[in-house]
Amino acid sequence: MATQYVKGRDLMVFKVEGEPQSETYKAFLCAISHTLSLNTEDVDVSNKDTGEWGDSVAGVSTWEITMNCQFVQTDFDELMEAAINKERMKVLFVKKKNAGAPGAMPEGGWEPDATGGWIGEIEIRSISAAAPHNGVATYDVTQKGCGPLTKRGA
């Protein structure tokens, strides 16, 4: 069986609203790129018994999502207000429905694939906008995970 590659354009970040049985999803529009990072700190457990070799065990895990998007006023304003008010929001990192299909955004907006993906609560740690004289305005956001990142549907 051939490897099924996932194109970057098919992975998206969605804002999740509502209760688990009736969640709604809203994609952040005009995304250029997203990055999901998971990091685990080292806890040094080196001692005289480990000799000349250091030893460590896994410590606290943290995660974050960064987004680079073309500037859409409504999305930027929503994220800026959330950052200023230190509001948490739930996000989903997942393939979009109809991944790989040609064409632009469907009428009604993007929807997440029915299964899979990673979901958790975030707080915005940084947001910045760039407005070049001879180019398209963009914004960058760093969203820090607050608590666990879990596999959707698990």
Side-chain angles (χ1 to χ4, degrees), residues 54-133:
D55 197 3
S56 64
V57 295
V60 173
S61 294
T62 60
W63 63 277
E64 71 178 24
I65 294 176
T66 57
M67 299 188 318
N68 172 247
C69 301
Q70 290 178 342
F71 194 94
V72 174
Q73 190 72 55
T74 54
D75 284 356
F76 180 79
D77 289 350
E78 179 180 13
L79 293 168
M80 184 65 91
E81 287 174 3
I84 289 169
N85 296 320
K86 298 174 180 58
E87 294 173 4
R88 289 187 178 190
M89 68 177 72
K90 191 185 286 187
V91 294
L92 171 64
F93 184 84
V94 67
K95 274 193 326 185
K96 65 185 178 187
K97 188 175 181 179
N98 299 325
M105 181 173 65
E107 191 165 326
W110 296 112
E111 294 180 38
D113 195 48
T115 60
W118 295 90
I119 194 165
E121 283 194 348
I122 59 93
E123 283 184 1
I124 295 170
R125 291 297 188 249
S126 70
I127 183 169
S128 61
H133 169 70

Side-chain angles (χ1 to χ4, degrees), residues 20-60:
Q21 301 302 333
S22 60
E23 290 176 335
T24 59
Y25 306 94
K26 176 188 165 252
F28 292 99
L29 299 177
C30 298
I32 299 167
S33 68
H34 302 108
T35 302
L36 170 62
S37 302
L38 174 67
N39 298 292
T40 302
E41 294 179 10
D42 284 334
V43 175
D44 186 4
V45 294
S46 302
N47 57 62
K48 292 180 182 181
D49 295 336
T50 60
E52 294 182 18
W53 294 98
D55 197 3
S56 64
V57 295
V60 173

